[in-house]
Each structure stands twice: as C-alpha cells, then as structure tokens.
Amino acid sequence: MSVPPTDGLVVVPSAPVRRRHLMVRLLHDPVAVAALVILALLAAASVLAPVLTSHDPIRSSLFDTLAPMGPDHPLGADGVGRDVWAQLLYGARTSLAAALVAVAVAFAVGIPAGLLGGYYRGKADAILSWASNFMMAVPAIIVLLVVMAAVSQSTYVAMAVLGLIISPSVYRLIRASVVSVREELYVDAARVSGLTDGRIMRRHILPVVQAPSIIQAAQIFGVAISIQAGLAFLGLGSPSETSWGAMLNDAFANIYTAPMLLLWPALAICLTTTSLALLANALRDALGGKKVRQKSSVQRPKTSVRPARGAKSAKPAVRNLGAELLRVDNLKVTYPVDGGTRTVVDGVSLVVERGKVLGLVGESGSGKSQTAFSLLGLLPPEAGMQADGIRFDGDELGGLGRGAMNRFRGKRIAYIPQEPMSNLDPSFTVGSQLVEPVRQHLRISARAAKAKVLSLLERVGITEPGRVFDSYPHQISGGMAQRVLIAGAVSCDPDLLIADEPTTALDVTVQAEILDLIRSLQDERNMGVILVTHDFGVVADICDRVTVMRSGKLVETADVAELFANPQADYTRMLLASTLEDAKPRTALKGPAVGRRDRTA
Amino acid sequence: MIKKLAVAGTAVLALTLSACGGGDTGGTPGEGATGGTLTLSISQDMKSWDLAEAGLGHSEQYYQPVFDPLLRLDQQGEVKENLATSWTYDPALTTLTLKLRTDVKFSDGSALDSTAVKTSLLHAKAGTGESAAKLKSIDDVQAPDPSTAVVKLTAPDPGLLRNFANVPGMIASSTALTAASGPVGSGPYKLDASASTAGTEYVFVGNPDYWNKKDFPFDTIVMKTLDDPTAETNALLAGQVDGASITPDRIPALEGGGLDITKFYSGIVEGLYIWDRAGKITPALADVRVRQALNYAFDTKAIVKVAKKGLGETTTQHFAPDSEAFSADLDKKYGYDPAKAKALLAEAGYAGGFDVVMPDISTLFPEAQAAMVEQLGAVGVRVQLDKIPFSQFMPSLLQGKYALSYFKTGSTDPWNVIQLLVKEKATWNPLGYKDDHALDLVNRISLATGEEQDKLYKELNEYMVDQAWDAPWNFVQDVYASSKRVQVTTQPYSMLPPIYNFKPAS
Amino acid sequence: MVSFLLRRLLAGITLVLLVASATFVMLNFTGADIARNIVGETATPEQAWAKATELGLDEPLALRYIEWLGATLTGDLGKSWFTTVPVGTTLQTALPVTLSIILGALIISALVSVVLGSLAAVRAGWFDKTVQFSAVLADAVPGFLVALALALVIAVNFGWLPATGYVPYQRSVVEWLRSITLPSIALAFGAIAATTLQLRGSMFDVLQRDYVRTLRSRGLTENSIVFKHALRNAAPPALTVLSLQFIGLVGGAVIVEKVFGLRGIGSLATAAAVQGDAPVVLGVVIVMVLLVVAVNLVADLAYGWLNPKVRAE
Amino acid sequence: MGTDMTNLELPAGTSGDGGGNPLLRVDNIRVEYPSKKWRRAGFVALDGVSLDVQAGETVGIVGESGSGKTTLGRAVLGLAPVTGGSIVYDGREISSMRRSERRSLSDEIQVVFQDPYTSLNPALTVLDILSEPLLMSGTGRAAAEKRVRDLLDQVYLPSDAAQRLPREFSGGQRQRIAIARALCRDPRLIVCDEPVSALDLSNQSRVLDLFIEIQERTGVAYLFVTHDLSVVRYISHRVAVMYKGGIVETGDAAVVTAHPVEAYTRRLLLAAPVPDPQRQAVRRAARKQFDAAQREATRIGA
C-alpha cells in the first residue's frame, strides 16, 4: 500500500476551525444587526421612558389637545392632549411587556408539553396532540373579543390568553424537534452510554430546540404586537393603560384631523414586527447555514466548449475507436466556493462505443457522478463546465441551451439514477411519468404511448405491468422502482445510457437482477452505456472498458480484463487490494465453542 | 400558466372597475323635484320593528318611512297635524281628544281608525323600548267613533303632544303589532324586505297610496347602518351615502370633500352630573356650596373650544334654548373661577378638597374625562377612576354606584327633561334624590298650561341652577353632513333631521 | 374514507362544543346586569327583573348551561337578547358577507402566492430576494393599516371601488365583486405573504429533489417540470399553511369588516361581545369554529388528493 | 425456504465459566413494533431468533434490507421493544430491564452505528462526545480528558482532534470517533450496526482492521451487523444469516460465506459480484443456473 491513505490518519485540518456561535454568525448579517439594534433601542426607550420625557403619558392636558410638534411636545399631543412622545415611550412598555407575556405563556405551556409529548410519546403525546389540534382551530380574535368584553380589559390578561391559544404552535415545534432529534443515532448512542433522560434532554435535545424556539418566540412576539393593535383598533382595551394600540385607537378617531397621530404608533408597531420578522428570518438563515445557491435553479450551468484546435492536426486525447458514440475531451467541472472555484472534474476525456459498457469507477469525491451529470446537462446551476469537445454521434453537445439539449435528453441519451425511490415523482402514477416523455419525444397518441409503456414495463421484468402502471411510487418496492426507471430510460430507444450507481441502493440479490436487465437491454438495443460505480464487483460483472477516477482526475482507462489482471496505476492497485472478496476469513474462536451444533470447518 | 392567470386576473379587475360609477345609489344631481334615491347612514342599528321596543334618538329615522305619527313638528318645533287633524285637552289635562283623518289606510289595506290607534298605542305603551317609556302616562285609549280617539292619562303629561309627533305617536297596523314578518304602517314608504339586509341596509320604496306624497319627494330611501365613524366618513366622501350624523372632528375632512355641514342643537346637555345630591356616597355633595364650587371649577368655554372643537354652547342649565324653560340670564350664574370654587369648598369645610370615585370613561369620552379630571383636580377634588368595562357604564350609573360622573342627556322638551332628571323616580335620578321644592314646582307645571306653565318652567330652571343640581358644561351641538345632491333642514327636538326635511337639490 | 370523514366530523363537533362551552362560561363571568342593559336605561327595575326572568338569567349557571346545550344540539341558537331576532337569521345575513371576503382573500392569496412563490423559487436572484423581503414586510404590517390605506386611496380618493358596504351577489354579481374586492385584498395581504414564503421554500426544496433531475434527464419541458411536477409536490405544505391562514383570516375579517363598514360575522361578534349579547356571541363562535373545522376538513381532503401517500391511508 | 434453523444453536443448560457460558445469549426473542393505528396489529420485526456471542468473539449478522438484522442489534442494546423471549448478558436477563437498571449496563455493552454523520451530535466537540459517558460514570474531568486522549490515540486520531466538531472530519474519521466513544468505558460487547457501509472501499478495510486490532488487544466481543458478505467474512468468527425476521443459517464464517447450505444463503452468495471478470462470469452463470433450478422447484412445489 504505497498510496497515501485517503482516510488521512493525520490529515486532520491543521488548525481547529473556529466554532462560530449562532450569535456571531447573526452579527455578520447586516439585516439581523439592524433588526437587533432597532429592537434594542425600542427596549431601551421603554425602560428609559422616565429619563427621555418628563410628561406623564396618561395625564391629559385639555389645552394641548392635538397640539402640534414643538419644544414642549416633541411629537405633538393627541386628541385628548396627551404627549405623544411620552405615550410612545410608555406605550412601548405596555406593548412590549404584554407581548412578552404572550410569549412567556406560550412557551411555559408549549415547551414542557412538547418535551413530554416528543420524548416519551405514547398516551401523553396522543392527548397533547389532540388538545393542540383543538386549540389550533380556535379563532384567537373571537376568543380575545369575548375575554376582553366579558372578563378583563387588561392587555396583559388578553395577551396571556393569546399565549395560551398560540401555545400549540410552540408545542408542535418543540415536539417535532424533539421527535426528530430523538430519532437521531446520537441520542441512541447517548442512551446506550447510560445517560439519564434528564441529561439527554439537557445536553442533546434542548440545544437543538433552542434555536427554532428563538425564531418562534420572535414570531409570536410580532403576532402579539399585531393582535394588540388589532384589538385596540376594535376599541377594546383598558383605557388607563398606555399602549401603542391605545394610541392607534385615539389616532383613528382623529384620522381626518391629525393623521400624523396614526403615523407614530403605526411606525412603532411596524418597526417592531418587521424587525422581529427579519430577525427570525436571519436566525433561520444563520441556522440553516449559508445557502450555496443564489442563482437560479433552472438556468443552465455556464458551459463552454473551446473550438477543436485544428480538427485534424490536434492529437485526440483519446484514441479513436471504430464505433465511437460519444467522445469527451478534456472535461472540466468547477463549483464556486468562498472566493474562488473548486474543480471537481479536471481534464477528463473518454470515449463510449456503441454497444459497449464503459465503467466509471472511483471513491466518493472522485468526480465520477459529476462527469455523468455534465454529459446530460444536469449539473446544478452554480456549476461551471468546460470541455474541448463533447461529440455525440456527430453532434456537439457542449454549449447547447436547454431546449436544444432536450432534443437529446430522454430521447437519445438516457439516465438511470442511483436511488430508485427518490427518483420517481411521488405525486404522479408510475404510468403517467413514463407516458409524458414518450408522448413528447415520439409525438404519439396517449393510447399508443400507454401501450408502449406497458410493453416496456413487461420487458423490464414487471409481472403485472397494468397494476404497476396505475401505482404510485410509494406503492412499489425499490427493485421494482429501479426497473421502472430503467423502462423510463430506454423508453425512447436511446443510443447512450448513463447509469449512475444504478444498483448501489439495492440489495445484492436485486442488484444481480438489475445488472442482468441492463446487460440484456444494452445487448438487445446495441446501446452505449456509461456505468458509474464504486464497486469492482459490478465492474467485473458488466463493463467492457473501465475508467478509474480519483479526485476529479482520470487515473487510468483500460479494457476490463486488463485492468483487473494488470492494473497500471498505484491507485488502482490500492483499490483492488482493498476489496475484501479474497481476504482470508477469520477462523473460529478457539476455546469455548463447545456443545454447539455449528458446522465447523 | 402564468399568462393564463394574469389574463384571468386582468379580466376580473376590468369587470369590477368598469362597473365604476354604477355603484352610485344616490339621487342624480340635476334631477327634478321628485324621484331618485335618498341614501342615509345611521350609526346604530335599529332594535326592532315592533314599536313597543323601538328606540329614539338616532333610531328615529328608521321608523319614519314606514310609520306615520299622529302629529308632526314643523321646522320651528311647533306641533302640527298629521294623522290627527285636531287635538284638545280637558281642563284637568288628563284627557286628550284626537280627531283622525279618515282617508288613511295601512299598507296591508286595513283602515287606520281610532280602534287601530288604540290597539297600537296600548301595545307600544306596554313595551320596554325607549319610545314606550314616553307613553307611560297613558292610562287608556278609547275609541268612541272611528275618527275620534280619546287618550286618558294617569296624570298630566306636558310632553305628550311632542312625543306624539315622534316615534311614540306612530301607529302600526293591528295585524302586525309585533312586526314579526316586517313592519306594517301607513307611512310614505314601505320596507322592501327582499332588497334589505337586516342590520346592514334597509330599502324603502314609495307607498303609492300615501295621503301626503308631496312631502316625500324621493322614490326610494335607503338606510345603511354604518357604526364605524371612519367607515361612515369614507362612505360620505366616496358619495355612497347622502347624509349622516357625524362627530365634530370629521368636519374639516368632509367639508374638504365637498359635503354640506349642518350644525344644530338637539337639547342634549353634557357635563358633570351630580347623582348624589343627598350625600349618601360622598357626603360633601350634600352641601350646596360644594356643588356650586364644582360649577365654578370648569372652564366650560375652553372645554367647548378644545374638547368639543367649538361645537357647543356653554350653559349652566338643563333646558334648551328652544324650550319654554330656558333663561339666558341663568348662563351667567357661574363662570370659570377656580379661586371661588376653592373658597366655596373651604367654606363648606373642604379646604383640603375631597376624594370622589368616578367610572373610567376614557374609551367612550376621552376628552371629557381628561377635562374633568384635570379641572376638578385643580380645585382639590381628587378623582379616582374606577375601571369598568364600558358595557357596564350605564348599568352602574343606573344602579347608583357613583356619586357623580360625566354624562350627557336631555331633550328640547322641558317636560321630557323633568321626566329624565328631576322626578324622584326619574331614570337619571339613580339615587332617588328628592327635593320637595322642585317636586312641587313639577307638579304645578303638569297642571298648568300656556304662559303660566312657561313661568313655572323658568322658576324650576332657576331653582335647579341655584341649587347646582348638576354642573353642566354645554349644550351639545350635533353635526349633520349631507351630499350636494340633497337639501337638508334640521329642526328642534330631533337628533337626526326627519326624512320629510330632505329634498333633492334643484 | 367514510370512517375518516366520520371521525373528523365527530372531532369537529366536539371542538365546537368545547369552545362554545368555554365561551358560555366566560360570558357568564361578568356578573353584569345584562337584563338592565337589554331593557334600556329608561326601564324600571321591575322591567329589568322581568327581562332577567324571561331570559332565565335568574337560574343557576349549570341549569342554564344544560338548557343552552340542549337547545344548541338541536340546532336552536336562540334569539338575540337585544334585538330578539333569532340568532340563526342574523347569522344568515352576516355569514355571506364574511364568507365572501374570506373566500375572495383565499383565492387571491392562492393565486398570487402560486405565481410569486414559483417564480421566486425558479428565478432566484433579485426577484427572489424582493419577493422574500416584501413577504416578510407584508406579514409584519398589521392588517388594518393595509385595509385603511386601501379604503382611503382606492375608494375615497380615486373612487374606483366602493368604500363601504356589501352587495349580495343575488342582487348583482358585478356589484358584489366590486364590494368585496378591496376587503378581500386587504384581508389577503398577510396570507399572501405567509403562503408565498412557504410555497417558495417548498418549491425550492422540490426543485432540488432527485426526481426533478431525473425528469430533466427525460427531456421534459421546463414548464412541465416547474408547474406540473414541482408545483404539485410543493403544494401540500403550502396548502397546510393556507388552511392555517384561514383561522387568521377569520380573525382578520373582524377588523376588515370594521374598516369597510361591512356587517359580517366579525362586526357581529364585536358588537355582540361588547354588548354582552350572549346568544349572538355563542352563535358566532359556533359558526366560526364550524367554518374552521370545515376548512380543515377540505384542506385534509385536498391534501390527500395532492398527496397519494396520504390518500392511500 | 429450507428447514427451520432458527433454533439451531441452543446449548441447553451449558455451564461453567469461560467454557459454555456465552457472554450474550439471545433466546427465541420476538420484537414487535406497536402499530400507530389503534387496535391494529403491530409490525413483527423479529420472531424466534436465538443466538449467542462468546467473550472476545465476533458474530456477524448478515442479511438484506428488512431481514431484521438491525433490529436484532437494537434489541440487544435495549432500543427495540422485545415482546418475547429473553436476552441474557453475562448471566443477567436484560431484555426486560427498566431504563434505570439498563443504565448500569452501559459499562458493558456499547454501540457503533452505521451512519457516522448522524451518530455524533454535531453541536458537541469530540472531547464532549467522548468524555460524556465518562463523566456520567463519575470520572473526574482531568481523568476523563486524559482518557479521551488515550482513546483518540487508540483509533489513530491526533489528540488535538478533541477540540473539534464532528463536521470537521471525514466519514472514516468520524467512524473512528464513534469507535472511540464505544470503547471509552471498556465494554465487553460492542454492537456494530453496518459500521463500514457508508465508507469508501479503502477506508472500509482500514476501519475493519482497526476493529480487529482492538478486539485482539482488548478481548471485546462484537455483534457485527452488515449486508455485505465479504465484510462479514473478513471480520467474523461466526456468522448468522437472517431473512424476514428469522435466522436461516449459522456457522463459522469461513464455512457459511464460502459453502452455504441454505438456499437463501447460496442465493445471497451467488448474487454478490466478484471483482474479477472471469470468476464473476462463472459466478453469474452459476447464479442463473441456481435461479432456474429454484424456479423449477417452486413450480413443482406449487
């Protein structure tokens, strides 16, 4: 094993990456910073109200009614001569504190219920879920109307009730988080390690719940502020409590006389709710990590094909073969990373012959799948692709637009994916998914297309084509799904089949059958096949030629027999040596195996 | 897909916008003296078509198209004939003989005769509505012949005639007293139930058989219930309604929007009402000097100017300028004089002021509360506000929970004022205050007529002002906004202009 | 299927009863002299007492509850204490108003969010950012401000659409559409924001799925991929959000109705709650919860229709 | 499908320490997951499974998806609901233990899961992850840190790895961390649930070598669950082949993986491709022949 190990026993990053705390990440987002600053200012203003104004917010001075802005009343006075600035400041106290009450109640009820339901499941969970579904269907405003009209006019009481009504959303969030964490293997591992439930909750579950809770809290806070304003608008609310909602109410009465009065509380409310919403959004972003994608998901990746330099004189990178179907010269695929690009396929050239199977072998990160996708034009939009040429049966594929590529895709070049279940659209029947491209490419009637698809399904070894045709993907097994996908791939009689690890997700017995199927179809239709795999067993089973890749680069290409018999590259040799097939089995443990009726060698 | 959606959306939008202008239900300007539709907005819904449950004040307009009253007030507030062509009292003032028109039929075809009047009045009297309360003095109604109705009273009721010119005097068909399937009256219009939506919009179409069609020029009357002032203002500005009673703060916007503004008095007096003149709750109030001090404490001119936007006439009395009891000199009795107020309080032994508890009304009348707390505080009366749900405001006053509070009530009719405020069992005498001198005057008023009665009214008025019965601030000025399409005339004794005072603008 | 419907129906009825019962108890908390309020300020104490007896207010709470429950279960919602109009009748006139604007709002939000959400997910870039940001803002601005602005600008200032009032569709469909357009838009504002964000998110996720890549590999047109396959798969979560929004719309209707002077369930609820008109409040609560139950049921059925996996169960 | 061999290996009443008494004895267990729906029959994941593991031995469990092999491992760990039979560890019945009692077993039985990405809490440092079980059992902080360095050393990770988060490591390295965690309290049995399935070929053999090295040094026993016959052959002393919730064949690894008796095991073996074109051609032909024979047999049987 002269090849340096890829599992780098010492290739750990040399300096520990600094763990960026959520807060730190948040502080790098200008929107979040702005939102935080605004909220902090509002909170500070409400706390410092007595310092910032000498006016009593409740005390009305008749002669100041609708006083304009001036030195005595920085923002003027309202319809009953109360200082608007003072009201705004003291109102922030009520509004913010009452909203906090809503948040506190919602969490005081929601968190324990969510932890209880999510962690222990069972009866408690059933009852809690039932109760929460009930609560969710209660129209909050109506209940608040009744409460405020009949029970108490206090904003705090109303907000406490709102908190209760809204608590199911907290419960659901916490429960969902707990349930998903609980399914995580590391929680299982913690249990096996003998951690108590309390410690598991504290150490493994609460931290996960923390961040979404903050988001939820911000949202509930915003909702509470809005609802307060709405209730005040309806004329409910305690007269002696200064709040933004009460200010709005007064402003509405004077809307035609002093519209500015509406501006201040509306501004305060909108600022608060918007800041909270933006903060929640920023938090979510910070949690979700930086989204790689900023560009469109459907634009074609940037591709460019350099013109063949002197068509004849240039020495082809790959030796020419008789029935050449596809020739790829010097393919390069890059992805943008922080401040640069990362090359995942670097100068790969290959040739596929009609009626032959080319194996593309490598470990994870070798770029084999990226190579396959780039040939189909299926790279994600942020990827960049370059090649000296991609010639398919006389046509140049490089640089084709989406529409032009669709003349080849599905019709002449087909694709078999790796994971059968996730590659069928769960919302449509198997039949309709297969019929759609057939009709589009072959321009035949729905009836003819259905007949063709049914016969294809039968061809790929499905015993009840009619039933499978009408089934939804979740109603069929993984092996069956892979047969369906193969049927879909060959439905328009393609010349080239690109199969990306078509058997990796399957059980070994199913894998053998699927390989048999691909082999027979390929044989029957004289297709060229690119088979991407990491399994040398599969290569040995089906391939005619093999290209070994590593870290985006081509390592060697050879006929299959030659490769196994006489690998040229060290890397290939290392890989072949790693296969366990011919490793010596361990012998039975000496000693205690008495009295067993095993068949011993 | 998107294109299709966009096209569909545009189509809907075009459809709705193209109908623009078609939604105008108001009478077309320039049309002749008759025809068209009059659309009025009323801020509160009607309670019931049953006259026994009918309300007054802002509800009156609802009943005017369908029901015709026995009498009618002219624009000066004088009682004029309507269904009754003449009316005479006996000397004891307890029997009122009415001569009825003989050509009137209800819209169900039955004749409006003395039996119908008897049935309708006795039914209405038994009810609990505001209107019914005005009929409580009726003992019985007799129908000696079809065109003569004789109303027997338990005691003289000087307000009865004016009341008969309003909802209390309206007559419903005997076949539909409770109006279970809609109102049946003999009025100028009939309710078009199919076009109406209870609680939202009532549509009235002309009654072809009505005897006095010239007073009701519109073909159709629509009454919309719009209880939100802003929505009402928007409707006025958008030309959706032709008239509505509005709050003073909307005047500039509506005038700017091209609407006509009419200001008038309906006899409502607002101010600090002293319920506890006997000092049961707050002993200080039993002393007339304390009550007078309260009158001196208020800068009523400033209150009217600022809190009422100048809409109102300061006063010290409960009787409206249009009424027989009014006396202009009385308004000079108390002026804004905090020093004097303090002196009077000191004289009464309250140099340090005193504490009172009042219901918190800042949601309903914030300006009034602001003024009250501020100016009472200035003379040493410390107001504690009792937070109660606003639905509890009236009930708690009626229960006699508070010694004094902000309030407004009243009537242009002096007898109605007495009924409301002065009598021992008067509605707004919740603590049952009994002043023998005042009650004696009331009794004498009920037995007198003409100038003698007027003199007694004035005497009562003066006595009440001297006694500082309450601490009134001002007569409330009401504002009515109307579109240029109509001409409106307001008149005394009505909170909203009666529908016969609306004419199409020429 | 039938058993599913039955179970949901049963749960719905239980919910209605629970909420209504809680409301019933709450309404009797005040201890206010409701009878006095009803007969009016001019009535005598005797009349007030008579009214109280007539309404059975002198009976113990438990007894009244049982009576109310019995009546409600037989579909008798009683009469308004104040207007003596049967609650059923009042609801019949108020319900079409509220339903019109809520349905209008639902349709508007569904259409707008499908267009905006899909385009944002597909187009990305500044368009996506603008949509996201506007959605956050729209969600944060209190609904009545939007309603007020629409009323002032579109109706009062330009006079394009009526500022107040509701015209039943039986009278004129065009007038009906005109009368509910502004309220529906005002109401839809927040729902559009939430649903657009949800749809954008789920659309974005779906477009990253393996099967979308496979569909592309088959050479399907982008329109088919985005609006047939991706939208269909992204719809269920958006639908859930939309059905949750419905509850919010019911609340929002209370406010929008006030601004546009509509006599719907919302303004009925406000007026009745403030007055203490218990039968009306209870009627409104029952109808609203029934509505929510019905909408949730419809949403579940639609969810099943959209999601074959759920349908199978 | 062949004879019922689920009860093959019960050494009834074997006694004597180090002799016949296995470290772990699974006896006729049944695992049934309750149905989510009310009054609906649950899902039976395991039925009538028996097996034993001696100290220091690797018993490989091989099977396809849905065979119940993972459930068997989880049942031993107390993570699956055992509804019948018994699991005896070192003379103690552990299948019906309460959670609190079970905790005391954490010194004895440990686990390495398949997915190295989700089996480590992404929010905790390697030090936190590895020291947590130690601190739980009352080890002092300093001692724990020393032990962690020692463990990292054992799995060939540099000691400065302790300060980092799991996401800074590759799949193979993470699996080493998971192994270190399993080792930290010197267990006598480690349940390994497909620990190399997610790894690349070259890493796979290195990690397997690490497992073997640790076993030889510490004498720990493995219950090694995998779907890969070549892996199971490489690491196991004995093998049990599972199919549809039961064991169809057991025996020494060399025998079962090379010359299986049971039809299912043979099919499994013939289906696994050999990384050698010539031999694979032969094996493929053999498989086709075998399949044809099987089909014939069922046809006749039917």
Side-chain angles (χ1 to χ4, degrees), chain A residues 7-8 12 19 188 194 197 203-204 363-364 507 509 516 519 541 581-582 586-587 596-597, chain D residues 8 64-65 74 99 103 121 132 164-165 176 200 202-203 215 233 235 238 279-280 284 287:
Chain A
D7 180 23
V12 182
R19 279 208 285 162
D188 279 341
D197 286 350
R203 200 149 164 87
H204 293 282
E363 295 191 303
S364 53
D507 275 331
T509 49
D516 284 349
R519 185 183 303 102
D541 186 64
E581 184 61 30
D582 297 321
R586 291 180 87 179
T587 45
R596 290 185 299 177
R597 290 186 283 150
Chain D
L8 274 183
E64 295 190 298
S65 52
R74 291 181 70 83
R99 288 277 267 280
R103 243 168 253 139
N121 187 338
E132 187 170 45
R164 300 198 189 130
L165 291 172
R176 287 169 197 276
D200 274 332
S202 47
N203 285 335
Q215 184 170 57
R233 179 187 308 123
I235 194 156
R238 288 189 300 128
R279 278 166 59 201
Q280 173 56 16
R284 189 164 69 222
R287 173 168 58 83

Side-chain angles (χ1 to χ4, degrees), chain A residues 60-63 65 79-80 153 235 237-240 252-253 255-257, chain B residues 233-234 237 249-250 253 302 306 362 366-367 370-371 374 387-390:
Chain A
S60 47
S61 160
L62 195 55
F63 299 100
T65 300
V80 286
Q153 283 183 278
S238 171
S240 55
F252 281 120
I255 183 160
Y256 280 106
T257 328
Chain B
T233 311
N234 291 346
L237 285 172
D249 56 293
R250 305 294 158 125
V306 180
S362 57
E367 317 85 349
E374 184 185 344
K387 280 182 224 164
I388 49 168
F390 37 74

Side-chain angles (χ1 to χ4, degrees), chain B residues 301-312:
Chain B
K301 285 203 176 62
I303 290 174
V304 168
K305 187 169 161 246
V306 180
K308 310 302 295 179
K309 318 266 186 309
L311 291 170

Side-chain angles (χ1 to χ4, degrees), chain D residues 109-169:
Chain D
I109 306 179
Q110 272 303 328
V111 66
V112 177
F113 287 112
Q114 166 177 9
D115 187 344
Y117 294 86
T118 64
S119 65
L120 303 175
N121 187 338
L124 300 181
T125 61
V126 170
L127 175 66
D128 289 336
I129 291 169
L130 296 183
S131 62
E132 187 170 45
L134 295 169
L135 297 174
M136 259 317 279
S137 62
T139 314
R141 187 155 284 277
E145 277 179 37
K146 187 180 170 298
R147 172 78 177 137
V148 167
R149 276 200 302 279
D150 185 41
L151 284 167
L152 289 173
D153 202 39
Q154 280 188 42
V155 298
Y156 301 104
L157 286 173
S159 55
D160 67 342
Q163 303 309 321
R164 300 198 189 130
L165 291 172
R167 64 178 147 86
E168 295 167 41
F169 297 88

Side-chain angles (χ1 to χ4, degrees), chain D residues 272-293:
Chain D
V274 206
D276 180 321
Q278 280 87 44
R279 278 166 59 201
Q280 173 56 16
V282 172
R283 186 174 275 191
R284 189 164 69 222
R287 173 168 58 83
K288 286 195 166 152
Q289 205 180 350
F290 175 79
D291 283 353

